[in-house]
Amino acid sequence: MLLKRLNRLHIKQKLILIITASTLSGLLLMIVGLTTYQQTAYRDQMQREIRILAEVISDRSNAAILFGDTELLTENLTSMRLHQAIILACIYDEHGEVIASSAPRYRPATCPKHTAANGFYDNALHWTQPIVVDGEVMGRLYVKSHLQLLQEEYNRYLFIGLSITALAVLGSFIVALFVQRLISSPILNLAHTAKAIANNEGDNIRASKTTDDEIGEMVDAFNLMLDVIQSRERELKEHQDNLEKTVDERTRKLKIANQELEAFSYSVSHDLKAPLRALDGFSQAIIEDYGDQLDPLGQNYLNRIRSASQRMEKLIESMLYLSRIGRQNINIKEVNISHISYKVLSLLHEGDPNRDIHTEVEPDIIVDADQALIEIVLNNLIGNAWKYTLKTEKPEIEIRKEQDYFYVRDNGAGFDMTYANKLFGAFQRLHKDQEFEGTGIGLATVARIVHRHGGEIWATAEPDKGATFYVRLPKQ
Amino acid sequence: MLTWFSLAPAIGQAADPTKVKAAFLYNFVKFIHWPQTNETSNEFKLCIYGEPALFELMQKIPAKSIRGQALLILDIQQPTLLQQCQLVYMRTQNYTATQFILDNLSAHPILTVSDVDTFAKSGGMIEFKQKEQKLRFEINNSAAELAGLRISSKLLELALEVY
């Protein structure tokens, strides 16, 4: 509790407190020591005085006690009053009977029945001195002294001691007021500097060093730290600037490359399509106009020319499509995968009504995606599944959701996982055209769409057992 | 046993006056200094002349030394024999008898004590006096000094009169 409160004090107050408190404790200790010493010394002296006096008086009284001269004894005792501390003096005979006593000086007091033990007690000094004649004890002298002087002396010492302490504490407080600045002001200065830097008041702010002690060292270290931090900041900024320049450069180059690619695609779509249409159109004209002059082999060749040119046109179109996806804006909202899947499957059934295929779609698979693009993805994936199960005996397709992804599974031709890395590249085909026709663009398009959503696509398969394509789209 | 003599009768003094006298005689010795002489023997002779009752009483003191000497209580009948003593207590019938004895002892360091009236004034050393029911004494210090005896100031202090 007290420690907490002390911790909350300002450093100034702490320093003043330390200086003042140590002065105070030192002086208090001195007072205790001095008064203790004084009391002991005073008691010793008092005891000595009283003892000597008692010895003298008892010697002076030995004849009187022998010859029964109580007047002289009383006279002797009365003379002891000259010592101001003595309040009572008594003489006892050898049987312990009181035979003389001093008249009480300060207050009425009668001699104790038996001579008391020597020492300080009952707020008085008690002293008993045997009265000896020729080595024989003939009686006793008892003296009782009050300790008023002792008390007075004690009070005086205490008063002087406390006065000195009060003055010294006041003095040390005043000195501490000035001296604490030596320590606290450089620290406060340092703290202010640190605050100014934290508040971003300028890079060139430095703490000023005013002392050559540990605080001075701290100021130096602090300034050095500032230098290091600032130089690191500069370096970091330089690196960042360089990086931005590099990025800008690359972006610019990339844009040029993209423009070139677009120009290329445009020329492909327009310039390559026209000769193909000519090829196809004229082949058709030959079949229609001169078909009867050609033998079946010739007609077959022409038909093959036509289908090849049509296929090439399709390839070109899907290639253009793929390049367009990269630039198209996407509009993401909640999309029901299950509904799209039903639609795709029903279209496929319409195209091949006689096909006996088992399909299963988990209801209400919801993802965040662009409606048009996700339709392309499902068209491709389900279309592939439909296509690659053509030669399967009991074909099955299922679309399900699991954790944060959905998948399209079939039990068709599958593929060798060794080539899985080629799966999503454009114009990469794992099957021959003769087996399953295709452009080799489909999965590339799918992958591109999924990536544009920030999602991922992967597949597992086994030849002749089927393939599963997984799609994970991030939650928006 | 000594206490019988020393203090009780001295303080009380209501008791037997003879006892008090005996105690005084005994205690005087403690406050008086005898000169050292060649003949000093190992005995201290306390002689009583003319008061057999006192002698009887003092004889009851158990054998005891005083001032480092053996205490001897003697009942002396012949004044001429008193010279051997260190302390002489005398009870004489008249002034002439007193003077005779004192003359006899004058050359010797012998303390003379008596309760004869004007004993101290007329050359004796210590004279017992009754005062207010108490036994007191007068001292003729000049006579004692002449005899070579030194009486302690403490004793002189207690005397009613010192000559």
Side-chain angles (χ1 to χ4, degrees):
Chain A
M1 214 18 224
L2 184 68
L3 208 65
K4 256 191 188 170
R5 218 184 260 180
L6 283 179
N7 271 334
R8 234 179 278 149
L9 288 178
H10 291 297
I11 193 164
K12 284 180 187 175
Q13 293 165 323
K14 278 179 190 157
L15 286 168
I16 293 172
L17 191 69
I18 288 167
I19 294 169
T20 315
S22 44
T23 309
L24 183 66
S25 58
L27 282 170
L28 286 180
L29 213 64
M30 191 195 73
I31 289 176
V32 171
L34 270 182
T35 48
T36 309
Y37 168 75
Q38 177 266 338
Q39 285 284 299
T40 318
Y42 196 86
R43 275 166 185 250
D44 283 351
Q45 191 201 337
M46 184 174 176
Q47 196 162 342
R48 208 161 40 239
E49 267 177 30
I50 297 295
R51 198 190 68 224
I52 289 168
L53 198 60
E55 276 171 8
V56 168
I57 296 298
S58 75
D59 184 59
R60 295 270 311 137
S61 304
N62 61 358
I65 209 168
L66 272 184
F67 294 100
D69 196 333
T70 47
E71 286 131 47
L72 189 67
L73 291 176
T74 309
E75 221 172 85
N76 283 347
L77 293 183
T78 312
S79 76
M80 288 188 89
R81 285 179 179 176
L82 290 174
H83 195 291
Q84 49 182 335
I86 293 172
I87 37 177
L88 181 63
C90 306
I91 287 179
Y92 300 78
D93 67 14
E94 57 192 323
H95 305 297
E97 298 292 333
V98 178
I99 53 174
S101 83
S102 68
R105 190 171 167 191
Y106 293 113
R107 58 196 137 131
T110 46
C111 298
K113 275 258 154 60
H114 304 284
T115 51
N118 288 348
F120 290 88
Y121 55 86
D122 292 345
N123 207 19
L125 167 62
H126 304 264
W127 192 262
T128 304
Q129 180 72 36
I131 299 174
V132 178
V133 188
D134 254 14
E136 284 178 65
V137 177
M138 292 299 164
R140 284 169 213 283
L141 168 66
Y142 164 76
V143 183
K144 183 179 180 185
S145 313
H146 66 69
L147 304 179
Q148 201 174 317
L149 287 173
L150 195 69
Q151 189 60 42
E152 278 169 14
E153 197 81 347
Y154 178 75
N155 289 346
R156 196 177 306 130
Y157 261 71
L158 206 63
F159 174 74
I160 293 170
L162 288 178
S163 309
I164 291 172
T165 306
L167 284 175
V169 167
L170 187 70
S172 72
F173 178 76
I174 292 165
V175 170
L177 266 181
F178 289 97
V179 171
Q180 56 84 16
R181 284 191 200 154
L182 285 179
I183 295 168
S184 68
S185 70
I187 292 176
L188 290 178
N189 182 22
L190 194 65
H192 283 144
T193 312
K195 246 181 225 165
I197 288 162
N199 289 338
N200 239 337
E201 285 174 22
D203 283 349
N204 294 324
I205 295 173
R206 288 291 181 275
S208 52
K209 183 179 175 182
T210 51
T211 56
D212 262 335
D213 53 6
E214 287 86 346
I215 295 171
E217 274 175 40
M218 201 162 84
V219 170
D220 281 343
F222 179 76
N223 287 338
L224 189 68
M225 187 183 77
L226 284 183
D227 287 344
V228 170
I229 288 174
Q230 281 172 3
S231 83
R232 285 207 188 137
E233 238 173 39
R234 264 196 303 279
E235 268 175 44
L236 208 64
K237 205 165 182 320
E238 268 168 36
H239 281 303
Q240 200 180 323
D241 288 349
N242 277 345
L243 207 63
E244 267 171 23
K245 250 182 232 163
T246 316
V247 168
D248 283 348
E249 178 70 13
R250 298 253 165 91
T251 312
R252 203 173 51 78
K253 280 181 184 165
L254 208 61
K255 261 185 191 163
I256 292 168
N258 262 342
Q259 279 164 5
E260 279 171 3
L261 197 67
E262 263 175 54
F264 172 71
S265 303
Y266 183 81
S267 68
V268 164
S269 69
H270 281 86
D271 302 359
L272 291 187
K273 263 173 160 181
L276 272 176
R277 282 207 193 98
L279 254 169
D280 185 36
F282 285 112
S283 303
Q284 193 182 2
I286 288 171
I287 291 168
E288 281 172 4
D289 296 350
Y290 306 99
D292 46 350
Q293 295 172 26
L294 288 171
D295 62 355
L297 187 63
Q299 281 183 11
N300 187 25
Y301 285 163
L302 277 172
N303 277 331
R304 283 171 83 168
I305 288 170
R306 275 200 73 199
S307 75
S309 55
Q310 279 164 8
R311 246 188 75 222
M312 191 167 174
E313 201 186 338
K314 254 190 212 163
L315 269 173
I316 289 166
E317 262 172 10
S318 47
M319 215 173 71
L320 278 170
Y321 189 67
L322 181 63
S323 77
R324 264 206 303 277
I325 286 167
R327 280 167 288 138
Q328 204 169 316
N329 285 331
I330 60 172
N331 177 23
I332 288 176
K333 50 191 177 185
E334 275 192 1
V335 174
N336 193 322
I337 296 291
S338 310
H339 284 171
I340 299 170
S341 302
Y342 295 140
K343 210 161 73 188
V344 173
L345 283 169
S346 69
L347 278 170
L348 286 167
H349 269 298
E350 272 173 32
D352 190 357
N354 298 325
R355 191 148 183 229
D356 180 23
I357 184 164
H358 180 74
T359 61
E360 245 186 76
V361 178
E362 188 176 317
D364 292 328
I365 305 172
I366 308 292
V367 297
D368 291 331
D370 182 288
Q371 174 87 28
L373 292 177
I374 206 72
E375 275 180 22
I376 294 165
V377 169
L378 287 164
N379 262 325
N380 272 291
L381 294 180
I382 298 172
N384 279 347
W386 187 275
K387 186 164 67 186
Y388 290 111
T389 49
L390 274 174
K391 292 171 184 171
T392 308
E393 253 183 55
K394 281 184 176 171
E396 282 174 18
I397 296 175
E398 53 177 340
I399 294 117
R400 292 192 179 281
K401 180 181 186 286
E402 201 147 296
Q403 294 172 26
D404 56 345
Y405 56 86
F406 67 88
Y407 61 85
V408 178
R409 169 177 291 147
D410 65 66
N411 60 347
F415 57 86
D416 190 340
M417 282 298 280
T418 323
Y419 307 108
N421 58 336
K422 294 184 172 178
L423 207 55
F424 300 106
F427 306 114
Q428 302 275 356
R429 299 210 64 214
L430 302 187
H431 296 275
K432 288 175 184 151
D433 277 356
Q434 288 90 330
E435 281 181 285
F436 301 99
E437 62 174 271
T439 56
I441 295 289
L443 283 179
T445 310
V446 166
R448 198 152 189 184
I449 289 169
V450 171
H451 291 156
R452 277 218 67 191
H453 280 80
E456 2 170 20
I457 182 164
W458 70 99
T460 57
E462 207 180 315
D464 297 327
K465 292 251 172 89
T468 309
F469 286 83
Y470 303 88
V471 175
R472 179 187 287 130
L473 294 173
K475 279 263 164 219
Q476 296 293 319
Chain B
M1 285 306 271
L2 188 64
T3 54
W4 182 87
F5 272 106
S6 56
L7 210 56
I11 303 303
Q13 286 214 3
D16 183 359
T18 313
K19 267 190 190 173
V20 178
K21 219 183 274 179
F24 271 40
L25 283 178
Y26 180 81
N27 284 333
F28 283 150
V29 180
K30 298 174 181 171
F31 295 95
I32 292 165
H33 185 257
W34 272 263
Q36 294 276 330
T37 57
N38 292 338
E39 310 137 48
T40 304
S41 70
N42 275 334
E43 291 171 338
F44 186 91
K45 289 175 181 160
L46 198 158
C47 304
I48 294 168
Y49 175 83
E51 192 168 339
L54 182 62
F55 170 72
E56 292 290 317
L57 198 68
M58 289 202 73
Q59 262 202 322
K60 289 177 186 164
I61 296 176
K64 173 85 185 156
S65 69
I66 192 163
R67 304 172 59 87
Q69 294 167 300
L71 177 63
L72 222 67
I73 312 284
L74 299 174
D75 182 24
I76 304 289
Q77 313 287 336
Q78 284 290 321
T80 44
L81 293 177
L82 289 171
Q83 281 183 5
Q84 58 177 315
C85 306
Q86 274 81 39
L87 192 157
V88 171
Y89 170 80
M90 61 187 92
R91 179 165 219 176
T92 47
Q93 297 308 311
N94 50 54
Y95 179 78
T96 320
T98 310
Q99 281 305 313
F100 174 75
I101 296 172
L102 285 178
D103 286 349
N104 218 339
L105 300 180
S106 65
H108 304 278
I110 299 169
L111 182 74
T112 54
V113 185
S114 176
D115 43 12
V116 173
D117 202 30
T118 69
F119 178 73
K121 273 184 187 163
S122 48
M125 293 174 194
I126 297 177
E127 175 186 340
F128 284 131
K129 286 252 177 198
Q130 282 292 334
K131 192 188 176 193
E132 294 161 5
Q133 307 295 314
K134 281 183 172 183
L135 185 66
R136 305 295 293 268
F137 50 85
E138 291 181 353
I139 296 175
N140 187 335
N141 197 28
S142 319
E145 276 175 357
L146 272 174
L149 300 179
R150 228 166 58 230
I151 301 177
S152 160
S153 65
K154 287 181 190 169
L155 199 62
L156 294 175
E157 200 177 24
L158 294 173
L160 287 171
E161 209 72 62
V162 177
Y163 305 108

